[in-house]
Amino acid sequence: MYKYSIFISWSDDDNCYITSVPDLPGCMADGNTPEEAVRNTQKIIKEWIETAIEEGRSIPEPSSQKSCA
């Protein structure tokens, strides 16, 4: 599991939970439940990192942002 902060919110337009990973530009996912959205986000983080490596881009370190839900 990756240690990046994941922000999650409900989208009435999409009728699902939407996540974003602020440390990884463009890294987003969705799911029907918060848990599914986070699981999907972990997969997308992995793919984001793999793509960055293939393209020779640097991988940002996870920030130390903390928030309460």
Side-chain angles (χ1 to χ4, degrees):
M1 181 178 296
Y2 297 96
K3 305 269 183 194
Y4 290 95
S5 295
I6 298 172
F7 293 123
I8 186 167
S9 62
W10 174 255
S11 171
D12 285 330
D13 292 339
D14 298 311
N15 197 37
C16 64
Y17 290 90
I18 305 290
T19 63
S20 65
V21 182
D23 292 330
L24 306 176
C27 189
M28 301 173 70
D30 62 24
N32 292 321
T33 66
E35 295 81 10
E36 179 183 37
V38 170
R39 281 194 307 273
N40 292 342
T41 305
Q42 289 294 330
K43 293 175 191 174
I44 296 301
I45 290 171
K46 181 179 183 288
E47 291 174 12
W48 193 102
I49 291 171
E50 288 171 352
T51 300
I53 290 169
E54 288 173 9
E55 295 178 353
R57 292 185 282 135
S58 62
I59 311 297
E61 290 293 322
S63 66
S64 60
Q65 296 177 354
K66 295 180 182 177
S67 64
C68 297

